[in-house]
Amino acid sequence: MTSPALPDYAPVPRSALGPALNDQGYDVGRVERNLYWVTDGVYQSAFLTTRDGVVLFDAPPSIGHNLRRAVDEIAAANGVSNTVTHLVYSHHHDDHVGASSLFDGDVVRIGHEETRRLLLRDNDPARPTPEITFADRYTLEVGGERAELAWHGPNHSPDNIYIHFPGHDTLMLIDIVNAGWVPIYNLNLSEDVPGYIQAPATALSYPWKHFIGGHLGRLATRDDIAVHQQYIADIEASAREALATVDPTPYFVRYGENVWAGVKAHLDTVTERAAAPVIAKYTGVLAAADIEIFTTTTTFAIMQSLRLDRGPSGPVHP
């Protein structure tokens, strides 16, 4: 069988990469004091060691049993308990909490009330529902350590929460900013575009030095958030300009009765015109910016949100 011809892409900026993984395919590192993060190079999790046990934040299946290995490694090195007593869900998506069932027994599970509702709907045994839920804010205190959980409205998902570690100078917010990288398809497959666009500003309103974003190989900084915001703002500005300057008439004339073909041709042209300068500007700045479909689909999502969420979607018929 002949292998398909695969495209070449721009080199990944070294600044986008994190630490090398060990022989078992993970890295665990200290964030601040007794707060640690774990990555397999694609996904991230975090945990607090306390005098009363370990609090785990998310359990991505791609890391899976390496979460237990990471906890055991740190607990043994520091002479503390390796018993996971609490598990906090950032949101309901399986790719971030699909290994939750690996931690059973007396583990207390905590999440937003919408997380519980969605997990009951999905009925997935790999993602047991949280017993403790909250609407807006919840303070988790375990073994003298504290995490502040807050919901500031829908963004990537209806239930995605902010996890602040005030004693560790850290914020955890999943699936919004990929440190050093562009979002993948459709703003990291986000459900609420205005909420997603607003989320980095909300994140920056917290005091923190370290940012756990849930993906890829390193932690983020406040500068990473600012670069992400500028990338999104550039897409938004470019989409506004393209919407204002691309005349739909030729496409609808060309396709006549086939209205959807006219709509597709017009919106594809708007999207491509809006995405092109952003791809050019950020190639070499953010990893994978030159993978056209990522910026293009993100541009399409933002352009559609401009039309539908903010308006106008088009001129009002006289």
Side-chain angles (χ1 to χ4, degrees), residues 8-234:
D8 293 323
Y9 295 112
V12 173
R14 297 297 92 184
S15 60
L17 299 177
L21 305 181
N22 63 21
D23 291 342
Q24 292 173 306
Y26 74 91
D27 179 77
V28 57
R30 188 191 305 272
V31 182
E32 191 96 4
R33 295 196 299 109
N34 55 330
L35 175 64
Y36 297 86
W37 71 296
V38 188
T39 184
D40 61 357
V42 181
Y43 281 84
Q44 299 173 359
S45 177
F47 62 90
L48 270 172
T49 60
T50 82
R51 63 174 180 258
D52 293 336
V54 176
V55 183
L56 181 64
F57 298 85
D58 277 357
S62 71
I63 304 178
H65 289 277
N66 279 336
L67 288 171
R68 167 51 64 193
R69 296 184 182 99
V71 168
D72 290 347
E73 176 184 334
I74 295 301
N78 296 329
V80 296
S81 171
N82 68 344
T83 301
V84 175
T85 60
H86 295 75
L87 201 165
V88 174
Y89 293 9
S90 66
H91 63 302
H92 73 288
H93 285 165
D94 182 89
D95 64 326
H96 288 278
V97 296
S100 301
S101 61
L102 297 180
F103 301 89
D104 50 15
D106 295 327
V107 173
V108 177
R109 301 170 192 276
I110 303 160
H112 190 261
E113 61 187 17
E114 184 71 358
T115 300
R116 177 176 173 81
R117 187 190 72 79
L118 291 167
L119 289 177
L120 287 171
R121 177 201 67 181
D122 296 343
N123 192 29
D124 179 5
R127 294 175 285 163
T129 55
E131 300 90 359
I132 296 176
T133 63
F134 64 97
D136 296 319
R137 295 182 183 275
Y138 181 81
T139 299
L140 175 63
E141 294 182 328
V142 179
E145 303 296 342
R146 179 163 58 101
E148 300 284 353
L149 315 181
W151 181 78
H152 294 293
N155 46 69
H156 167 69
S157 68
D159 57 327
N160 200 29
I161 63 171
Y162 296 68
I163 304 168
H164 186 220
F165 304 91
H168 300 82
D169 213 4
T170 299
L171 183 70
M172 184 172 182
L173 175 62
I174 303 303
D175 282 334
I176 301 296
V177 177
N178 304 330
W181 295 73
V182 299
I184 62 166
Y185 307 93
N186 299 313
L187 301 103
N188 286 337
L189 305 175
S190 293
E191 298 179 47
D192 189 296
V193 173
Y196 175 95
I197 292 173
Q198 173 59 34
T202 303
L204 288 172
S205 72
Y206 282 84
W208 56 267
K209 179 180 178 182
H210 314 288
F211 184 91
I212 301 170
H215 279 288
L216 301 163
R218 71 167 174 85
L219 300 179
T221 65
R222 298 183 80 89
D223 286 345
D224 287 316
I225 308 301
V227 172
H228 168 91
Q229 285 180 300
Q230 189 59 57
Y231 171 81
I232 296 298
D234 286 346

